[in-house]
């Protein structure tokens, strides 16, 4: 159901995001806008998941944009911190000479495992950060209304981490194991060959035709993955919200009981009428 909502709203979102596409071309500042644009699409997916879950509400465009920019800035900052950690790991590996002349099976050229390890660490930490931010993003998506209260960008940080990470891992694994990545690469290659066939002196008869059925399946799978991730995040957000609400009610009840006990104790120590 999240996917159906997303497919319906996606053309509208694409048109709305055109101004931010131009803003993302600004040097340096464009990094925040481009990341914010990605966050905007993510929030839209989460709102589709909220609607499919039955807790959707009327969105506020201004709040959607503000939340997207806030998430974009946070992702840029986190990416820089993660990049520093990954580079530090590569430097330490270089100091100890680990993997300088490593070779993959079937290859003869050495692989620089220091930078490769740093990249893998960067990718793993970035994916982990996105999984940890799944519930806060769902909370921001739900609060992006006229009367919604901003929960902050760290509300429920880390909640539903393993659920979101599992959904992401299964989706990415299926993307490669089912051969859908190859289908997309072939389609892009064919499209580029057709566009530049005259420049590259390639006969159109030599270009492999696009496999439309597998390509349609690959596109549907690419769209479905974020929707599944968003639906998983919304479920985790709902559990987190209910738990926080239960804890708040319990705290209020305990405070009320304590006040009643104090009042009763004070009244019991007061002398009655006619007593001195």
């Amino acid at each position: 159901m999240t996917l159906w909502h997303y497919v319906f709203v996606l053309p509208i979102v694409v048109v709305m995001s055109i101004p931010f596409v131009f803003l993302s071309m600004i040097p340096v500042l464009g990094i925040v806008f481009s990341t914010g644009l990605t966050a905007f699409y993510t929030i839209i997916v989460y709102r589709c998941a909220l609607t499919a879950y039955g807790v959707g509400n009327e969105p506020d465009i201004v709040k959607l944009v503000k939340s997207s920019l806030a998430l974009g800035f946070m992702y840029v900052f986190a990416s820089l911190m993660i990049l520093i950690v990954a580079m530090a790991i590569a430097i330490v590996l270089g100091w100890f000479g680990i993997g300088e002349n490593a070779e993959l099976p079937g290859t003869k050229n050495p692989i620089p495992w220091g930078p490769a390890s740093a990249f893998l660490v960067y990718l793993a930490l970035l994916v982990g950060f996105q999984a940890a931010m799944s519930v806060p993003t769902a909370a921001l998506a739900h609060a992006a209304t006229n009367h919604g209260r901003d929960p902050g960008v760290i509300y429920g940080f880390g909640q539903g981490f393993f659920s979101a990470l599992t959904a992401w891992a299964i989706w990415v694994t299926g993307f490669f194991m089912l051969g859908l990545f190859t289908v997309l690469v072939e389609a892009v290659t064919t499209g580029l060959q057709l566009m530049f066939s005259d420049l590259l002196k390639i006969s159109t008869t030599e270009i492999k035709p696009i496999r439309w059925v597998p390509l349609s399946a690959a596109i549907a799978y690419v769209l479905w993955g974020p929707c599944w991730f968003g639906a998983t995040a919304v479920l985790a957000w709902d559990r987190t919200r209910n738990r926080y609400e239960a804890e708040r009610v319990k705290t209020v009840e305990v405070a009320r009981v304590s006040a009643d006990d104090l009042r009763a104790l004070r009244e019991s120590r007061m002398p009655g009428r006619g007593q001195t």
Side-chain angles (χ1 to χ4, degrees):
M1 290 302 298
T2 301
L3 176 60
W4 288 118
H5 285 287
Y6 186 56
V7 170
F8 175 77
V9 78
L10 184 58
I12 302 175
V13 175
V14 170
V15 174
M16 289 175 52
S17 61
I18 290 177
F20 296 98
V21 173
F22 290 103
L23 290 175
S24 63
M25 299 178 183
I26 301 176
V28 181
L29 188 61
I31 298 176
V32 177
F33 281 107
S34 59
T35 312
L37 184 62
T38 303
F40 180 73
Y41 278 91
T42 302
I43 290 178
I44 294 300
V45 171
Y46 281 44
R47 287 200 58 83
C48 292
L50 288 166
T51 303
Y53 192 56
V55 290
N57 43 33
E58 188 69 23
D60 185 296
I61 302 300
V62 176
K63 286 189 175 182
L64 283 175
V65 173
K66 288 182 178 180
S67 298
S68 301
L69 292 177
L71 279 178
F73 180 81
M74 188 172 184
Y75 273 113
V76 169
F77 179 77
S79 298
L80 291 176
M81 295 299 101
I82 293 173
L83 181 61
I84 293 174
V85 173
M87 292 177 63
I89 292 175
I91 293 174
V92 172
L93 290 176
W95 287 347
F96 290 96
I98 298 176
E100 289 183 353
N101 298 316
E103 294 183 4
L104 290 176
T107 62
K108 297 181 179 180
N109 297 323
I111 304 297
W113 278 108
S117 300
F119 174 75
L120 292 177
V121 170
Y122 173 78
L123 183 61
L125 292 178
L126 187 61
V127 171
F129 178 75
Q130 291 177 342
M133 283 294 297
S134 59
V135 169
T137 306
L140 285 174
H142 183 263
T145 63
N146 293 326
H147 305 288
R149 179 182 298 177
D150 186 7
V153 292
I154 60 173
Y155 172 88
F157 181 82
Q159 301 294 325
F161 173 82
F162 291 104
S163 298
L165 189 62
T166 300
W168 187 90
I170 293 175
W171 175 65
V172 172
T173 302
F175 185 59
F176 289 97
M177 294 297 293
L178 296 176
L180 300 177
F181 177 76
T182 304
V183 172
L184 288 177
V185 171
E186 290 178 352
V188 172
T189 302
T190 300
L192 292 175
Q193 289 177 342
L194 290 173
M195 290 175 59
F196 300 102
S197 58
D198 295 336
L199 181 63
L200 299 176
K201 307 300 182 182
I202 301 176
S203 175
T204 55
T205 57
E206 300 177 0
I207 301 176
K208 294 176 58 177
I210 296 177
R211 297 183 293 168
W212 291 107
V213 174
L215 179 60
S216 300
I219 294 175
Y221 190 86
V222 169
L223 293 177
W224 171 75
C227 293
W228 186 30
F229 190 89
T232 304
V234 166
L235 292 176
W237 162 80
D238 189 51
R239 291 194 300 266
T240 302
R241 180 183 62 165
N242 292 335
R243 184 171 66 253
Y244 284 177
E245 181 64 22
E247 292 176 356
R248 188 189 67 82
V249 172
K250 184 178 179 180
T251 302
V252 171
E253 290 178 350
V254 170
R256 183 182 299 113
V257 170
S258 300
D260 293 340
D261 291 343
L262 289 174
R263 187 181 301 107
L265 180 63
R266 184 171 60 253
E267 291 177 355
S268 64
R269 293 181 177 180
M270 294 176 62
R273 293 182 178 181
Q275 296 181 356
T276 59

